[in-house]
Amino acid sequence: GNSVTQMEGPVTLSEEAFLTINCTYTATGYPSLFWYVQYPGEGLQLLLKATKADDKGSNKGFEATYRKETTSFHLEKGSVQVSDSAVYFCALSDRGYIPTFGRGTSLIVHP
Amino acid sequence: GAVVSQHPSRVICKSGTSVKIECRSLDFQATTMFWYRQFPKQSLMLMATSNEGSKATYEQGVEKDKFLINHASLTLSTLTVTSAHPEDSSFYICSPLGGDGAKNIQYFGAGTRLSVL
């Protein structure tokens, strides 16, 4: 079956540091890949997505590239802010609107 | 953006009692509702999918008689955990599907943390 593995948190960084959150997946076929973000007290929000190999999703300074050869979709941001503190979920979907989620990675950014 | 209201955000109950979780889409209609569960340090796991006015479709291993889902209107769905036990303690998240066909978007509630004593 499908599965998503992402690095365990929490990831703790200082403001303006470079962020990488690793995500790898297992799937049959060619799924779409997603990153969701959950800010404290709020629901998950779609952050970015990529639907085919070599696509790069980007939003709010975050980006991730769909790497079929390494089955990865790592999330990166060049300079994090305190307001980026949240839980980030990697997910995949090959059933339309029913993603398979990773466990989530908590990001804590200190001033 | 679309607003999803999930209530309560946290509930503590005694073993054997039933707990109802409400999920409302405040500014859009949701013909389809997904319910997820997340155990500590685990992934969100899809429990069931419901369409307005129809019986829910449960994922393998999810007891339909224990987790009652009602999707009676396009803006409200409820999940009732019946005769809750400590092993039901988890984080439950609703996810309404909104949009108009080609532009359907999956939204999420903020979640309900259930603790069964």
Side-chain angles (χ1 to χ4, degrees):
Chain A
N2 296 338
S3 67
V4 175
T5 302
Q6 59 182 107
M7 60 190 292
E8 282 196 37
V11 173
T12 304
L13 296 172
S14 297
E15 206 165 24
E16 299 184 0
F18 185 87
L19 168 72
T20 300
I21 299 178
N22 290 338
C23 171
T24 57
Y25 67 91
T26 302
T28 54
Y30 304 96
S32 295
L33 301 175
F34 307 82
W35 276 100
Y36 286 85
V37 59
Q38 184 175 29
Y39 298 104
E42 300 183 14
L44 275 75
Q45 303 171 29
L46 180 62
L47 179 61
L48 54 85
K49 68 177 182 180
T51 58
K52 61 182 187 297
D54 299 325
D55 267 3
K56 177 184 285 188
S58 61
N59 186 25
K60 299 181 181 179
F62 291 90
E63 58 182 34
T65 302
Y66 190 143
R67 301 286 188 200
K68 185 173 179 293
E69 64 276 13
T70 55
T71 61
S72 65
F73 193 55
H74 303 322
L75 181 68
E76 297 181 336
K77 185 173 185 181
S79 175
V80 293
Q81 305 299 312
V82 172
S83 57
D84 294 325
S85 298
V87 181
Y88 293 82
F89 292 87
C90 186
L92 69 82
S93 174
D94 63 357
R95 297 170 60 185
Y97 301 102
I98 309 177
T100 300
F101 288 93
R103 295 181 179 184
T105 301
S106 176
L107 170 65
I108 301 170
V109 181
H110 293 294
Chain B
V3 179
V4 179
S5 174
Q6 184 173 344
H7 179 80
S9 59
R10 181 182 293 269
V11 57
I12 300 172
C13 70
K14 293 182 178 179
S15 185
T17 60
S18 295
V19 174
K20 180 184 284 188
I21 301 170
E22 289 190 351
C23 182
R24 295 179 183 273
S25 53
L26 299 183
D27 56 358
F28 66 99
Q29 294 183 330
T31 54
T32 301
M33 181 72 74
F34 305 107
W35 285 94
Y36 291 86
R37 176 172 57 186
Q38 184 182 28
F39 292 108
K41 299 188 184 299
Q42 301 294 318
S43 304
L44 275 75
M45 300 298 296
L46 180 66
M47 298 175 65
T49 303
S50 70
N51 292 305
E52 184 261 339
S54 303
K55 289 184 178 180
T57 300
Y58 290 81
E59 296 296 302
Q60 190 174 7
V62 179
E63 300 175 56
K64 63 179 182 179
D65 295 329
K66 182 168 189 61
F67 299 99
L68 302 180
I69 292 173
N70 184 291
H71 192 175
S73 78
L74 292 173
T75 59
L76 173 64
S77 177
T78 60
L79 167 67
T80 301
V81 183
T82 62
S83 186
H85 287 92
E87 59 266 29
D88 298 323
S89 299
S90 187
F91 192 58
Y92 294 87
I93 301 172
C94 68
S95 177
L97 187 66
D100 55 358
K103 295 184 178 179
N104 283 343
I105 298 174
Q106 189 169 359
Y107 300 96
F108 292 85
T112 297
R113 187 163 301 283
L114 171 63
S115 299
V116 184
L117 304 178

